[in-house]
Amino acid sequence: MADKSRNSREDRLRELTTIARRIQKMASENRQSNVTRVTGRDTMQRAVHREELNKLVESGVVVETVSPKVVSSLHVAVNDEAIRRQRRVSHAVATTIKEHPEIDTSIGVPLSKGSRNHVQLEQMSFNGFEKPRSWDWHEGHKAAFFESLVEEAERAGLMHLVDSLGKAPIEARAVSTMKAYAGENQRRINWSKSLPASLSEEHRFTLYLVDRAMSAGSSSLAKAAAAFKLANDGLSPFASQLVSDVIKAQRRKESESRAQPTQVSVNTVSKIVDMVQDDEKSERNALVVTLSFYGLLRAEEASMLKWSDVHQSGNMLKLKIRRAKNDQLARGRETFCDWPEGSKRDCLLKRFRARASMRPGLDFVFQNILNGTKLTPSAISGIAKDTLAAAGVSATHHSLRRGRANHLQQSGVDFQAIKETGRWRSDAGLRCYLSDSPRAQGFTVTELGDEVGG
């Protein structure tokens, strides 16, 4: 009986030993499998990291690289040049954040596919014109000049002066102008990517301009030329002549098919005032047209108009224009227009002003009805166009300015007075707006009456 019990325990022990060996073998196999998977995954991650580093090298951000497990600016800046570049960017970002604390300058830029890492590129914004550094929009010799200047200024601790120097051409121009130039230069750069590298920037630009002339007007060509000259060091005399000829040729083509610009009449504006409904949006839209017409307002001027800029004295309305298109130093201008007390347009203005006084918000005359934000110039233009269309007239916001200038001329107002009222900088600029009329050519009211009567 004892022998039988001992044999049973030995059999059970052998069975457990066998099971233990099997478990050990399975665990060993699993560990080997896991090592293989981890090794493969690690190899894949290293390949991704290497790809990212190569991209940084190609872009010029990194000069030399090692093979870190994690891609970061601290790992890839491995020599003096890379560190200097990082310091320049950091200084530029810090300066911008200090000057414009309200602007969020960081954006996430995805790297290679399959990676979750992002490089946060700090961007600068000067009055809405965004670039990594204030001088980075330069090309050619101008860009080389700044790169060499940066090296010397960094050693002397004068980087703030370089930054101010880079911003000067931007701040010397209107925000809208710089945005337009940036768009034109980017369009040119994108078009030129397929051209041979042997072509100079001047050759690239002249070829681009001819191609652009196939689908764009003369004003767009002139804008592209101005944008190129600002970013580069100008054109040679021969290339400059070619560019001028391309633009002039386009203007001659346009003159053959150009339609006469639309003028909005006083009757149309009066009709819009008569169509006003008893709601805030209808009143606002009608007032956009009415004030823009009688005040000869550009869309940007109407957008910036505040209630503190609107003053009435008897039958005269005074509008303060804080910053006109040709008043880049924002000295301010004032324009005066006839505004009879008790007239329909006067009642419209006072009624809308009373509505605005009952709701808190910005002091701007023209605001978004839903959130109270200031209307942009493009929104002003859209409202004017839609309101005129509802009155049966196909015209733009600028047609109001053209119509009012001609209305003043036909009413006997002399040329210089119209120029001052509409804030035109040159006589030639105003003449483009005015149509031929008997009054403009010296006929008096009596002579016009005799002509009609005869």
Side-chain angles (χ1 to χ4, degrees), residues 207-242:
L207 293 174
Y208 163 75
L209 199 68
V210 175
D211 181 79
R212 186 102 157 87
M214 296 179 183
S215 58
S218 58
S219 60
S220 295
L221 301 183
K223 183 166 57 178
F228 177 84
K229 291 176 182 177
L230 183 64
N232 289 270
D233 54 345
L235 294 165
S236 66
F238 180 62
S240 182
Q241 183 62 54
L242 285 176

mmCIF file of all heavy atoms in Angstrom, residues 207-242:
data_model
loop_
_atom_site.group_PDB
_atom_site.id
_atom_site.type_symbol
_atom_site.label_atom_id
_atom_site.label_comp_id
_atom_site.label_asym_id
_atom_site.label_seq_id
_atom_site.Cartn_x
_atom_site.Cartn_y
_atom_site.Cartn_z
ATOM 1 N N LEU A 207 9.607 85.645 -67.129
ATOM 2 C CA LEU A 207 8.830 84.546 -67.716
ATOM 3 C C LEU A 207 7.498 84.370 -66.977
ATOM 4 O O LEU A 207 6.453 84.138 -67.590
ATOM 5 C CB LEU A 207 9.635 83.245 -67.666
ATOM 6 C CG LEU A 207 10.883 83.189 -68.552
ATOM 7 C CD1 LEU A 207 11.656 81.898 -68.296
ATOM 8 C CD2 LEU A 207 10.485 83.282 -70.032
ATOM 9 N N TYR A 208 7.554 84.490 -65.659
ATOM 10 C CA TYR A 208 6.329 84.362 -64.865
ATOM 11 C C TYR A 208 5.329 85.453 -65.229
ATOM 12 O O TYR A 208 4.121 85.200 -65.336
ATOM 13 C CB TYR A 208 6.682 84.447 -63.382
ATOM 14 C CG TYR A 208 5.506 84.745 -62.488
ATOM 15 C CD1 TYR A 208 4.558 83.765 -62.195
ATOM 16 C CD2 TYR A 208 5.332 86.021 -61.944
ATOM 17 C CE1 TYR A 208 3.474 84.043 -61.380
ATOM 18 C CE2 TYR A 208 4.247 86.300 -61.120
ATOM 19 C CZ TYR A 208 3.322 85.310 -60.848
ATOM 20 O OH TYR A 208 2.244 85.592 -60.045
ATOM 21 N N LEU A 209 5.819 86.677 -65.419
ATOM 22 C CA LEU A 209 4.925 87.796 -65.707
ATOM 23 C C LEU A 209 4.197 87.593 -67.037
ATOM 24 O O LEU A 209 3.001 87.899 -67.150
ATOM 25 C CB LEU A 209 5.719 89.103 -65.731
ATOM 26 C CG LEU A 209 4.889 90.371 -65.576
ATOM 27 C CD1 LEU A 209 4.315 90.444 -64.168
ATOM 28 C CD2 LEU A 209 5.725 91.612 -65.866
ATOM 29 N N VAL A 210 4.901 87.082 -68.036
ATOM 30 C CA VAL A 210 4.256 86.819 -69.328
ATOM 31 C C VAL A 210 3.187 85.739 -69.183
ATOM 32 O O VAL A 210 2.090 85.845 -69.739
ATOM 33 C CB VAL A 210 5.306 86.396 -70.376
ATOM 34 C CG1 VAL A 210 4.635 86.016 -71.683
ATOM 35 C CG2 VAL A 210 6.306 87.525 -70.605
ATOM 36 N N ASP A 211 3.489 84.713 -68.410
ATOM 37 C CA ASP A 211 2.500 83.661 -68.177
ATOM 38 C C ASP A 211 1.301 84.211 -67.397
ATOM 39 O O ASP A 211 0.154 83.868 -67.689
ATOM 40 C CB ASP A 211 3.148 82.518 -67.390
ATOM 41 C CG ASP A 211 2.195 81.373 -67.130
ATOM 42 O OD1 ASP A 211 1.974 80.562 -68.048
ATOM 43 O OD2 ASP A 211 1.649 81.288 -66.006
ATOM 44 N N ARG A 212 1.563 85.061 -66.435
ATOM 45 C CA ARG A 212 0.484 85.659 -65.623
ATOM 46 C C ARG A 212 -0.408 86.562 -66.458
ATOM 47 O O ARG A 212 -1.614 86.665 -66.202
ATOM 48 C CB ARG A 212 1.123 86.464 -64.495
ATOM 49 C CG ARG A 212 0.129 87.013 -63.482
ATOM 50 C CD ARG A 212 0.132 86.165 -62.249
ATOM 51 N NE ARG A 212 -0.364 86.914 -61.101
ATOM 52 C CZ ARG A 212 -1.633 87.018 -60.758
ATOM 53 N NH1 ARG A 212 -2.567 86.423 -61.468
ATOM 54 N NH2 ARG A 212 -1.992 87.695 -59.678
ATOM 55 N N ALA A 213 0.177 87.195 -67.484
ATOM 56 C CA ALA A 213 -0.594 88.101 -68.338
ATOM 57 C C ALA A 213 -1.675 87.371 -69.130
ATOM 58 O O ALA A 213 -2.621 87.994 -69.622
ATOM 59 C CB ALA A 213 0.343 88.843 -69.299
ATOM 60 N N MET A 214 -1.557 86.051 -69.245
ATOM 61 C CA MET A 214 -2.564 85.283 -69.983
ATOM 62 C C MET A 214 -3.871 85.163 -69.219
ATOM 63 O O MET A 214 -4.918 84.870 -69.810
ATOM 64 C CB MET A 214 -2.016 83.882 -70.284
ATOM 65 C CG MET A 214 -0.805 83.877 -71.184
ATOM 66 S SD MET A 214 -0.178 82.197 -71.477
ATOM 67 C CE MET A 214 1.270 82.539 -72.484
ATOM 68 N N SER A 215 -3.846 85.405 -67.912
ATOM 69 C CA SER A 215 -5.062 85.232 -67.120
ATOM 70 C C SER A 215 -5.323 86.376 -66.148
ATOM 71 O O SER A 215 -6.338 86.368 -65.455
ATOM 72 C CB SER A 215 -4.974 83.921 -66.307
ATOM 73 O OG SER A 215 -3.828 83.922 -65.455
ATOM 74 N N ALA A 216 -4.419 87.355 -66.078
ATOM 75 C CA ALA A 216 -4.579 88.449 -65.112
ATOM 76 C C ALA A 216 -4.569 89.787 -65.826
ATOM 77 O O ALA A 216 -4.076 89.917 -66.957
ATOM 78 C CB ALA A 216 -3.469 88.399 -64.065
ATOM 79 N N GLY A 217 -5.108 90.794 -65.155
ATOM 80 C CA GLY A 217 -5.155 92.133 -65.715
ATOM 81 C C GLY A 217 -3.882 92.910 -65.469
ATOM 82 O O GLY A 217 -2.971 92.464 -64.771
ATOM 83 N N SER A 218 -3.829 94.112 -66.037
ATOM 84 C CA SER A 218 -2.629 94.938 -65.929
ATOM 85 C C SER A 218 -2.347 95.353 -64.483
ATOM 86 O O SER A 218 -1.190 95.467 -64.079
ATOM 87 C CB SER A 218 -2.774 96.181 -66.800
ATOM 88 O OG SER A 218 -3.931 96.925 -66.425
ATOM 89 N N SER A 219 -3.405 95.571 -63.695
ATOM 90 C CA SER A 219 -3.183 95.971 -62.300
ATOM 91 C C SER A 219 -2.527 94.846 -61.510
ATOM 92 O O SER A 219 -1.663 95.097 -60.658
ATOM 93 C CB SER A 219 -4.506 96.374 -61.653
ATOM 94 O OG SER A 219 -5.426 95.290 -61.680
ATOM 95 N N SER A 220 -2.917 93.602 -61.791
ATOM 96 C CA SER A 220 -2.294 92.459 -61.110
ATOM 97 C C SER A 220 -0.835 92.309 -61.521
ATOM 98 O O SER A 220 0.024 91.972 -60.704
ATOM 99 C CB SER A 220 -3.051 91.172 -61.424
ATOM 100 O OG SER A 220 -4.357 91.216 -60.905
ATOM 101 N N LEU A 221 -0.556 92.578 -62.795
ATOM 102 C CA LEU A 221 0.832 92.501 -63.266
ATOM 103 C C LEU A 221 1.695 93.575 -62.604
ATOM 104 O O LEU A 221 2.834 93.316 -62.210
ATOM 105 C CB LEU A 221 0.878 92.655 -64.787
ATOM 106 C CG LEU A 221 0.098 91.632 -65.621
ATOM 107 C CD1 LEU A 221 0.302 91.888 -67.101
ATOM 108 C CD2 LEU A 221 0.521 90.212 -65.263
ATOM 109 N N ALA A 222 1.136 94.773 -62.497
ATOM 110 C CA ALA A 222 1.882 95.857 -61.846
ATOM 111 C C ALA A 222 2.134 95.533 -60.373
ATOM 112 O O ALA A 222 3.213 95.825 -59.838
ATOM 113 C CB ALA A 222 1.101 97.163 -61.972
ATOM 114 N N LYS A 223 1.161 94.921 -59.737
ATOM 115 C CA LYS A 223 1.318 94.538 -58.335
ATOM 116 C C LYS A 223 2.393 93.462 -58.195
ATOM 117 O O LYS A 223 3.201 93.500 -57.249
ATOM 118 C CB LYS A 223 -0.017 94.044 -57.789
ATOM 119 C CG LYS A 223 0.012 93.686 -56.314
ATOM 120 C CD LYS A 223 -1.394 93.532 -55.765
ATOM 121 C CE LYS A 223 -2.180 92.500 -56.517
ATOM 122 N NZ LYS A 223 -3.540 92.295 -55.960
ATOM 123 N N ALA A 224 2.412 92.504 -59.109
ATOM 124 C CA ALA A 224 3.434 91.452 -59.069
ATOM 125 C C ALA A 224 4.833 92.041 -59.257
ATOM 126 O O ALA A 224 5.789 91.611 -58.607
ATOM 127 C CB ALA A 224 3.148 90.412 -60.150
ATOM 128 N N ALA A 225 4.945 93.025 -60.144
ATOM 129 C CA ALA A 225 6.241 93.667 -60.377
ATOM 130 C C ALA A 225 6.710 94.437 -59.140
ATOM 131 O O ALA A 225 7.881 94.370 -58.747
ATOM 132 C CB ALA A 225 6.151 94.602 -61.580
ATOM 133 N N ALA A 226 5.788 95.154 -58.518
ATOM 134 C CA ALA A 226 6.142 95.909 -57.308
ATOM 135 C C ALA A 226 6.554 94.968 -56.176
ATOM 136 O O ALA A 226 7.500 95.253 -55.431
ATOM 137 C CB ALA A 226 4.962 96.775 -56.877
ATOM 138 N N ALA A 227 5.848 93.836 -56.051
ATOM 139 C CA ALA A 227 6.175 92.865 -55.005
ATOM 140 C C ALA A 227 7.560 92.269 -55.227
ATOM 141 O O ALA A 227 8.335 92.085 -54.277
ATOM 142 C CB ALA A 227 5.121 91.764 -54.972
ATOM 143 N N PHE A 228 7.883 91.965 -56.470
ATOM 144 C CA PHE A 228 9.205 91.405 -56.783
ATOM 145 C C PHE A 228 10.313 92.401 -56.468
ATOM 146 O O PHE A 228 11.336 92.049 -55.871
ATOM 147 C CB PHE A 228 9.264 90.995 -58.251
ATOM 148 C CG PHE A 228 10.607 90.480 -58.682
ATOM 149 C CD1 PHE A 228 10.960 89.156 -58.469
ATOM 150 C CD2 PHE A 228 11.534 91.313 -59.283
ATOM 151 C CE1 PHE A 228 12.209 88.670 -58.846
ATOM 152 C CE2 PHE A 228 12.784 90.853 -59.672
ATOM 153 C CZ PHE A 228 13.119 89.516 -59.451
ATOM 154 N N LYS A 229 10.112 93.657 -56.849
ATOM 155 C CA LYS A 229 11.136 94.675 -56.626
ATOM 156 C C LYS A 229 11.355 94.921 -55.134
ATOM 157 O O LYS A 229 12.470 95.220 -54.703
ATOM 158 C CB LYS A 229 10.734 95.976 -57.317
ATOM 159 C CG LYS A 229 10.770 95.886 -58.835
ATOM 160 C CD LYS A 229 10.278 97.167 -59.483
ATOM 161 C CE LYS A 229 10.264 97.056 -60.995
ATOM 162 N NZ LYS A 229 9.714 98.279 -61.645
ATOM 163 N N LEU A 230 10.297 94.789 -54.337
ATOM 164 C CA LEU A 230 10.443 94.995 -52.901
ATOM 165 C C LEU A 230 11.243 93.872 -52.260
ATOM 166 O O LEU A 230 12.071 94.107 -51.377
ATOM 167 C CB LEU A 230 9.061 95.079 -52.247
ATOM 168 C CG LEU A 230 9.056 95.359 -50.745
ATOM 169 C CD1 LEU A 230 9.651 96.738 -50.458
ATOM 170 C CD2 LEU A 230 7.640 95.278 -50.189
ATOM 171 N N ALA A 231 11.023 92.637 -52.712
ATOM 172 C CA ALA A 231 11.710 91.490 -52.115
ATOM 173 C C ALA A 231 13.120 91.317 -52.648
ATOM 174 O O ALA A 231 13.975 90.738 -51.982
ATOM 175 C CB ALA A 231 10.910 90.214 -52.365
ATOM 176 N N ASN A 232 13.380 91.805 -53.854
ATOM 177 C CA ASN A 232 14.696 91.657 -54.478
ATOM 178 C C ASN A 232 15.379 93.019 -54.590
ATOM 179 O O ASN A 232 14.920 94.014 -54.026
ATOM 180 C CB ASN A 232 14.540 91.013 -55.855
ATOM 181 C CG ASN A 232 14.143 89.559 -55.763
ATOM 182 O OD1 ASN A 232 14.976 88.677 -55.720
ATOM 183 N ND2 ASN A 232 12.834 89.299 -55.719
ATOM 184 N N ASP A 233 16.463 93.064 -55.345
ATOM 185 C CA ASP A 233 17.195 94.321 -55.479
ATOM 186 C C ASP A 233 16.894 94.994 -56.805
ATOM 187 O O ASP A 233 17.771 95.590 -57.432
ATOM 188 C CB ASP A 233 18.698 94.082 -55.323
ATOM 189 C CG ASP A 233 19.205 93.014 -56.283
ATOM 190 O OD1 ASP A 233 18.368 92.289 -56.843
ATOM 191 O OD2 ASP A 233 20.436 92.911 -56.458
ATOM 192 N N GLY A 234 15.636 94.891 -57.252
ATOM 193 C CA GLY A 234 15.228 95.563 -58.479
ATOM 194 C C GLY A 234 15.514 94.753 -59.716
ATOM 195 O O GLY A 234 15.917 93.586 -59.675
ATOM 196 N N LEU A 235 15.308 95.369 -60.858
ATOM 197 C CA LEU A 235 15.523 94.742 -62.162
ATOM 198 C C LEU A 235 16.569 95.512 -62.937
ATOM 199 O O LEU A 235 16.749 96.720 -62.740
ATOM 200 C CB LEU A 235 14.208 94.719 -62.952
ATOM 201 C CG LEU A 235 13.070 93.848 -62.384
ATOM 202 C CD1 LEU A 235 11.753 94.206 -63.056
ATOM 203 C CD2 LEU A 235 13.378 92.381 -62.571
ATOM 204 N N SER A 236 17.229 94.816 -63.839
ATOM 205 C CA SER A 236 18.170 95.501 -64.727
ATOM 206 C C SER A 236 17.378 96.417 -65.658
ATOM 207 O O SER A 236 16.168 96.226 -65.842
ATOM 208 C CB SER A 236 18.956 94.471 -65.531
ATOM 209 O OG SER A 236 18.083 93.770 -66.417
ATOM 210 N N PRO A 237 18.023 97.435 -66.247
ATOM 211 C CA PRO A 237 17.296 98.366 -67.136
ATOM 212 C C PRO A 237 16.546 97.653 -68.264
ATOM 213 O O PRO A 237 15.404 98.013 -68.566
ATOM 214 C CB PRO A 237 18.422 99.261 -67.673
ATOM 215 C CG PRO A 237 19.465 99.231 -66.625
ATOM 216 C CD PRO A 237 19.419 97.853 -66.049
ATOM 217 N N PHE A 238 17.174 96.643 -68.877
ATOM 218 C CA PHE A 238 16.518 95.955 -69.989
ATOM 219 C C PHE A 238 15.311 95.152 -69.492
ATOM 220 O O PHE A 238 14.228 95.188 -70.085
ATOM 221 C CB PHE A 238 17.512 95.034 -70.688
ATOM 222 C CG PHE A 238 16.915 94.285 -71.857
ATOM 223 C CD1 PHE A 238 16.419 94.973 -72.960
ATOM 224 C CD2 PHE A 238 16.824 92.907 -71.843
ATOM 225 C CE1 PHE A 238 15.854 94.292 -74.023
ATOM 226 C CE2 PHE A 238 16.258 92.213 -72.899
ATOM 227 C CZ PHE A 238 15.775 92.914 -74.002
ATOM 228 N N ALA A 239 15.478 94.419 -68.374
ATOM 229 C CA ALA A 239 14.365 93.644 -67.822
ATOM 230 C C ALA A 239 13.245 94.564 -67.358
ATOM 231 O O ALA A 239 12.056 94.259 -67.531
ATOM 232 C CB ALA A 239 14.849 92.781 -66.665
ATOM 233 N N SER A 240 13.602 95.699 -66.784
ATOM 234 C CA SER A 240 12.595 96.666 -66.340
ATOM 235 C C SER A 240 11.775 97.184 -67.518
ATOM 236 O O SER A 240 10.552 97.350 -67.417
ATOM 237 C CB SER A 240 13.275 97.823 -65.609
ATOM 238 O OG SER A 240 12.335 98.751 -65.140
ATOM 239 N N GLN A 241 12.438 97.415 -68.641
ATOM 240 C CA GLN A 241 11.716 97.875 -69.831
ATOM 241 C C GLN A 241 10.776 96.800 -70.351
ATOM 242 O O GLN A 241 9.636 97.081 -70.751
ATOM 243 C CB GLN A 241 12.718 98.267 -70.921
ATOM 244 C CG GLN A 241 12.079 98.831 -72.193
ATOM 245 C CD GLN A 241 11.309 100.096 -71.909
ATOM 246 O OE1 GLN A 241 11.849 101.041 -71.331
ATOM 247 N NE2 GLN A 241 10.049 100.134 -72.301
ATOM 248 N N LEU A 242 11.231 95.545 -70.336
ATOM 249 C CA LEU A 242 10.382 94.442 -70.786
ATOM 250 C C LEU A 242 9.138 94.306 -69.902
ATOM 251 O O LEU A 242 8.024 94.119 -70.395
ATOM 252 C CB LEU A 242 11.180 93.137 -70.768
ATOM 253 C CG LEU A 242 12.215 92.935 -71.878
ATOM 254 C CD1 LEU A 242 12.966 91.631 -71.647
ATOM 255 C CD2 LEU A 242 11.535 92.914 -73.245
#
